Amino acid sequence: MRDPILIGLVNNAALLLALCLVYDVLGAKGGSPRKLPMRVATGALLGIIAVAVMLNPVPWASGIIFDTRTVLLAVAGLFFGSIETLLALALAGVYRYHLGGHGALMGVATIASAGLIGLAWRKRRPALTGEYSLPELYGLGVVVHAVMVLCMFLLPQEMVYPTLARLALPVLLVYPVATMLLGALLAGRQTKQRTEAALQEERNRFQAFLDASPFILFIKDTRGRFVLANRAFTRFFELNGGGPTGRTSQEIHGDTEYVEGYLAQDRQVVETGQTITIDTKVVDPDGGLHDHLVVKFPIRGSGGEVAFVGGIDIDVTAERAAARQLREQEERYRRLFEGMIDVAYRTDREGRIEIMSPSCQRLFGFAQEEVLGRPIRDFYAGPDRRDAFLQELAAHGEVTDFRAQIRRKDGSLCWVSTNARVIRDGAGEFMGVEGITRDITRLQESEEERLRLEEQLRQTQKVEAIGRLAGGVAHDFNNMLGVILGYTDLLLLKNARFDAETRGHLEQIQGAAERSAAITRQLLAFARKQVARPKVLDLNEAVDDILKMLRRLIGEDIDLNWCPHAGLWRVFMDPSQIDQILANLATNARDAISGVGQVTIETANVELDAGYCRAHTEARPGRFVLLTVRDSGRGIPSEELDAIFEPFFTTKDAGQGTGLGLATVHGIVKQNDGFISVTSEPGQGTTFRVYLPAHAGEVPARPARPARAATPPNPTGTETILLVEDEVAILELGATVLRGQGYTVLGAPTPAEALRISEEFPGTIDLLLTDVVMPGMSGKDLAGRIADTRPGLRTLYVSGYTADVIVERGILKQGVNFVGKPFSSGELSAKVREVLDA
């Protein structure tokens, strides 16, 4: 053991083994690239080992040393990178050059050639396949050391052949073997590193695969310890201290009642070797329970025995909660569907019913099973409405408030309103129709009734509008008629100057004017604007008073039947208006009867409720006295019923009437807060029903009719009268008539002129005769102004306007003197005398 050569060889072998440690620590792991600082450090360490090898040489001769640096550097070039090898070559070469001696040049050359050959061999490895083999490593050693033998020629000449003779063969025999052994050792370690790297990469991929799963995945050994788990496991159980690996179920879950169940399941898998599925509860770190579905399966070892238990754990808490919620929603929708009032349905492409809510039985009489599969068209009362429904659906994709009639099971019809839309699949293909249908029979009937009432209201408004027109015309018409009548009376008073023919002409003029005045009064009655003198009366007595006249009016061929109701309620109205109503209705009945026939007049008490009033727009609830006039005439066509109360509407031939009779009746009834209805059919006669409000007061005793006093036709006087009239013709006529009776007349065409005359006239003014409506000032205001300076002045108002206009101006009150236009000269004279004598 004291042999220096043997000691050097042992030291060299130890240093070569150090290279293996360097490779284990600093070599490339699985081929992954290293950073430059690490490569430089590795090269420096290799260089240091090479220097250490040279510090333990095998001495041969003075200045000539042999060691295993060529083995080291060749293998370094083969297994390390170029940076590491070149750095090691540089350090080793510098050190050998530093040692000097006869073999310095040879030493540097062998260092360089060994490392470079190793690098060159490494570069050609991509052309080879498989791992480093022993022959390949041995070949590398032969090449490196054959070059080393050649480098011996760099020794001093006298030393070349002796060195070759003694060392060439041992170098070529021993050093390649040492290179092969060292390379094989490093190749084995390289293979191990690559295998470990591949296994780690596979493990990383497998772990990444497991971690990507949203489910909890794990593997346990047969002792119940976790050997593998994914990130979902760690996250669910909040394991922040290195994961579950190496831990037991008790350590993770705690000592709970559920852990023993987990362990029992593991034992079952190990003992039976069968996969099991468990629906269980899992406790989270906060103590909360979760619903989990766990599949546990055996993992067998190489001998076929169960070596591990694998598990797939799915947290189904949210899914089961969603399922419960879905079931609850389905139950709510089912109850809603079954309890809904409207009918929900769905049809297929051909229009056959696929779904229909149970409410179809309540609304239409059909049970669900009776309608499913049937074409929905079968239930439409009219196929044209089904076609219209499909057309609107095709045009817009939906329909809203589509109305049609549906035939119920019992054959009756009902109105329905449908909202529906088209159903399409994901590709846009037509799949059917779904909708909701509502029974709107009552609503439809109400709307039809509303339309009918609106039509009645329009007719009423039309009559009202014509009435306002008639009232507006009355003023000017009365003025003109007053002029005609007044001057005709004046001419007739001077009858001594006219012969019989002229007098006859004047009487014709007077008659025409009076007939025109009568037409005007009818217009005013229609417009409900004539001056009335109402009083409480018994309608039966009023009818009794006019029966004789009515029988003469209708003729002998027509029977007049009078059917009074005993205990009749009282009414409050002008008796003359009752006469007008009956006279017009009797005349209308007479004209409707050809030849013989009957007219019946009846009275009755009626009390109307809100239901009746909803169907009759003019009616109102309360107590009414009903006056019915029925005839057996030809009747009125339905298209004429809405127009019969319009003024001047008539079915009579020209010259047989003005058409104001029924319009007058309508106006009088409305003026007294009543209403009138008519029913008629062609060939079945006509019935007019007049509803007059009942009056709660008592009927006064009927006064005896006083004997008419003999009054001079044209009373005279000598008083002074201030006559105010904005219509010049009436002013001149009034002045002429009154002056002809002996009065002093002060005429004024305007209120301002009347005030001036009143202030300037020195004598007494006994009467103010004034128009009511005048420009600038009303007659009432004028009377008040003059009364301030002439107390006790009597006033007589005259107007051609209708009563409602006069009332608006406060004229028609108790004790106020008024005469309406048109008036005759006698009527004016008599009224003036009456006021002056009062």
Side-chain angles (χ1 to χ4, degrees):
M1 295 301 293
R2 295 289 182 178
D3 187 351
I5 296 177
L6 181 59
I7 294 173
L9 290 174
V10 171
N11 291 335
N12 274 261
L15 291 171
L16 290 177
L17 290 176
L19 180 63
C20 295
L21 297 176
V22 172
Y23 187 79
D24 285 343
V25 176
L26 301 176
K29 302 297 184 179
S32 58
R34 296 177 300 152
K35 296 182 180 180
L36 181 61
M38 182 61 70
R39 298 184 68 180
V40 171
T42 302
L45 186 58
L46 291 174
I48 292 172
I49 295 175
V51 170
V53 168
M54 286 188 287
L55 290 175
N56 294 276
V58 179
W60 174 248
S62 178
I64 302 173
I65 58 176
F66 286 90
D67 51 50
T68 57
R69 62 182 179 273
T70 53
V71 176
L72 183 146
L73 294 173
V75 172
L78 185 62
F79 287 95
F80 291 89
S82 57
I83 293 178
E84 295 89 333
T85 302
L86 293 175
L87 185 57
L89 292 178
L91 290 175
V94 170
Y95 180 72
R96 179 64 188 88
Y97 182 79
H98 169 71
L99 292 177
H102 298 295
L105 182 59
M106 172 191 169
V108 173
T110 55
I111 289 172
S113 62
L116 292 176
I117 290 172
L119 285 175
W121 204 278
R122 177 186 176 91
K123 290 296 183 181
R124 62 184 291 271
R125 280 300 297 165
L128 302 176
T129 58
E131 299 294 336
Y132 292 111
S133 64
L134 292 177
E136 181 183 0
L137 294 173
Y138 182 78
L140 173 64
V142 170
V143 172
V144 170
H145 292 94
V147 173
M148 177 181 174
V149 170
L150 293 176
C151 288
M152 291 181 183
F153 287 97
L154 298 176
L155 292 170
Q157 188 173 4
E158 65 275 9
M159 299 181 69
V160 172
Y161 291 103
T163 302
L164 285 173
R166 186 174 182 184
L167 294 179
L169 185 59
V171 166
L172 291 176
L173 291 176
V174 176
Y175 276 62
V177 174
T179 303
M180 178 185 68
L181 293 176
L182 182 60
L185 185 60
L186 290 180
R189 293 184 175 277
Q190 184 184 58
T191 301
K192 178 184 177 182
Q193 285 186 354
R194 288 178 178 175
T195 301
E196 290 177 350
L199 288 174
Q200 185 61 41
E201 184 177 355
E202 188 69 23
R203 188 180 295 110
N204 291 341
R205 283 198 297 267
F206 182 64
Q207 186 67 46
F209 174 76
L210 297 180
D211 289 342
S213 173
F215 308 134
I216 295 174
L217 306 175
F218 61 87
I219 297 176
K220 302 167 71 174
D221 61 20
T222 55
R223 295 177 301 169
R225 292 190 176 275
F226 290 91
V227 298
L228 182 67
N230 67 343
R231 186 175 299 148
F233 189 108
T234 304
R235 185 168 51 246
F236 180 83
F237 293 107
E238 299 180 1
L239 301 177
N240 300 321
T245 303
R247 302 166 71 176
T248 64
S249 296
Q250 292 93 333
E251 292 171 346
I252 292 176
H253 302 295
D255 191 9
T256 66
E257 58 180 309
Y258 298 101
V259 172
E260 184 57 37
Y262 304 155
L263 298 178
Q265 297 159 10
D266 296 343
R267 287 193 298 270
Q268 180 182 350
V269 173
V270 173
E271 293 170 0
T272 64
Q274 300 294 321
T275 299
I276 62 173
T277 301
I278 311 103
D279 192 347
T280 186
K281 297 284 187 181
V282 175
V283 183
D284 64 17
D286 297 328
L289 287 179
H290 295 256
D291 293 317
H292 280 232
L293 186 65
V294 181
V295 178
K296 291 187 176 182
F297 52 91
I299 300 176
R300 299 183 183 275
S302 58
E305 76 283 359
V306 177
F308 301 96
V309 175
I312 302 174
D313 187 336
I314 304 174
D315 186 351
V316 294
T317 306
E319 288 76 6
R320 290 188 176 175
R324 286 194 298 270
Q325 185 178 9
L326 180 60
R327 288 194 298 271
E328 292 172 358
Q329 288 179 346
E330 288 176 348
E331 179 63 21
R332 286 197 298 269
Y333 288 137
R334 185 187 63 78
R335 291 196 300 267
L336 178 64
F337 184 73
E338 294 178 352
M340 67 188 307
I341 297 176
D342 298 335
V343 176
Y345 72 93
R346 186 174 70 198
T347 61
D348 60 14
R349 290 185 178 95
E350 286 73 33
R352 292 188 297 267
I353 298 173
E354 290 182 328
I355 298 174
M356 184 165 281
S357 60
S359 53
C360 65
Q361 185 164 13
R362 183 180 58 81
L363 293 183
F364 307 130
F366 292 99
Q368 283 179 297
E369 58 271 13
E370 293 180 293
V371 300
L372 297 181
R374 292 181 58 182
I376 199 169
R377 177 184 289 271
D378 293 350
F379 300 96
Y380 277 76
D384 55 329
R385 291 302 293 162
R386 176 61 180 175
D387 294 337
F389 173 84
L390 294 176
Q391 289 173 5
E392 185 172 346
L393 198 65
H396 305 291
E398 62 181 10
V399 295
T400 302
D401 192 22
F402 183 87
R403 300 192 176 190
Q405 282 187 301
I406 297 297
R407 194 176 303 280
R408 294 190 178 102
K409 186 175 182 179
D410 61 6
S412 62
L413 299 179
C414 66
W415 280 97
V416 298
S417 170
T418 299
N419 294 337
R421 68 180 184 88
V422 170
I423 308 172
R424 300 188 184 277
D425 61 12
E429 292 295 324
F430 174 74
M431 298 297 293
V433 177
E434 63 182 8
I436 295 180
T437 295
R438 171 171 295 181
D439 184 354
I440 59 165
T441 303
R442 291 185 179 180
L443 175 62
Q444 187 72 16
E445 292 173 351
S446 299
E447 290 188 357
E448 291 175 355
E449 180 65 14
R450 178 180 59 80
L451 293 175
R452 187 183 66 81
L453 295 178
E454 286 179 354
E455 181 60 27
Q456 288 183 357
L457 179 60
R458 281 193 293 272
Q459 291 296 328
T460 301
Q461 290 173 338
K462 180 167 64 175
V463 173
E464 292 286 345
I466 297 173
R468 288 193 295 271
L469 174 63
V473 170
H475 174 260
D476 293 338
F477 195 25
N478 281 334
N479 280 341
M480 297 303 100
L481 288 176
V483 174
I484 295 172
L485 285 172
Y487 281 109
T488 303
D489 284 345
L490 289 178
L491 291 174
L492 288 174
L493 288 174
K494 301 177 181 179
N495 53 20
R497 298 185 180 182
F498 301 109
D499 54 25
E501 182 179 2
T502 303
R503 182 177 180 81
H505 292 165
L506 290 173
E507 289 174 349
Q508 287 291 333
I509 295 172
Q510 186 182 46
E514 289 175 349
R515 286 193 297 274
S516 297
I519 293 174
T520 304
R521 285 193 294 273
Q522 284 187 304
L523 278 173
L524 292 174
F526 160 73
R528 307 186 302 278
K529 295 176 180 179
Q530 80 281 22
V531 180
R533 298 290 185 266
K535 64 179 182 179
V536 178
L537 56 86
D538 186 330
L539 188 59
N540 287 341
E541 294 178 357
V543 176
D544 282 335
D545 289 342
I546 197 175
L547 280 179
K548 186 179 293 184
M549 186 272 287
L550 293 179
R551 287 193 173 94
R552 290 196 301 268
L553 182 65
I554 63 177
E556 297 178 354
D557 293 336
I558 301 174
D559 291 334
L560 178 61
N561 299 320
W562 167 226
C563 303
H565 176 78
L568 195 67
W569 294 329
R570 281 48 171 169
V571 297
F572 183 73
M573 63 184 300
D574 191 331
S576 65
Q577 292 180 329
I578 299 294
D579 297 345
Q580 283 183 280
I581 291 173
L582 289 172
N584 280 292
L585 292 179
T587 300
N588 192 74
R590 178 200 65 194
D591 295 339
I593 298 173
S594 299
V596 296
Q598 283 188 338
V599 174
T600 301
I601 302 175
E602 299 175 354
T603 57
N605 295 329
V606 295
E607 190 161 359
L608 305 181
D609 58 13
Y612 180 88
C613 296
R614 281 195 296 270
H616 300 80
T617 55
E618 294 185 351
R620 69 178 189 279
R623 302 198 309 166
F624 290 84
V625 176
L626 174 62
L627 174 64
T628 303
V629 178
R630 183 183 303 107
D631 67 63
S632 60
R634 60 179 177 272
I636 304 172
S638 58
E639 63 271 13
E640 295 179 1
L641 279 176
D642 291 336
I644 61 173
F645 293 119
E646 295 180 9
F648 309 113
F649 175 81
T650 181
T651 58
K652 301 175 183 178
D653 295 333
Q656 294 186 355
T658 62
L660 285 171
L662 292 180
T664 300
V665 171
H666 184 273
I668 292 173
V669 173
K670 293 296 289 182
Q671 183 182 21
N672 287 278
D673 295 329
F675 64 97
I676 184 171
S677 67
V678 57
T679 56
S680 181
E681 292 184 12
Q684 301 298 318
T686 303
T687 300
F688 288 91
R689 294 179 177 85
V690 177
Y691 295 83
L692 300 172
H695 184 71
E698 296 295 330
V699 179
R702 297 187 69 181
R705 295 183 180 179
R708 186 170 295 176
T711 303
N714 294 304
T716 61
T718 58
E719 290 88 349
T720 299
I721 299 174
L722 176 56
L723 176 60
V724 187
E725 172 62 59
D726 60 323
E727 183 65 45
V728 177
I730 298 295
L731 178 62
E732 293 177 352
L733 173 63
T736 301
V737 170
L738 294 175
R739 288 187 183 119
Q741 303 302 320
Y743 297 104
T744 299
V745 179
L746 306 174
T750 64
E753 181 66 15
L755 291 173
R756 187 191 63 78
I757 292 174
S758 176
E759 292 174 358
E760 296 178 358
F761 186 72
T764 301
I765 298 178
D766 300 289
L767 176 67
L768 172 63
L769 179 58
T770 178
D771 195 0
V772 176
V773 181
M774 296 178 292
M777 188 181 300
S778 69
K780 179 183 178 183
D781 293 339
L782 175 64
R785 293 279 297 276
I786 296 177
D788 291 340
T789 56
R790 294 180 181 271
L793 177 69
R794 293 179 173 84
T795 303
L796 173 60
Y797 296 100
V798 180
S799 182
Y801 278 102
T802 55
D804 64 333
V805 176
I806 305 305
V807 169
E808 287 177 3
R809 287 160 175 78
I811 301 304
L812 288 182
K813 294 182 180 179
Q814 188 68 29
V816 174
N817 302 306
F818 177 81
V819 60
K821 301 174 186 178
F823 49 77
S824 66
S825 59
E827 290 174 335
L828 179 61
S829 299
K831 191 65 179 179
V832 168
R833 190 69 261 165
E834 177 186 338
V835 174
L836 289 173
D837 293 340

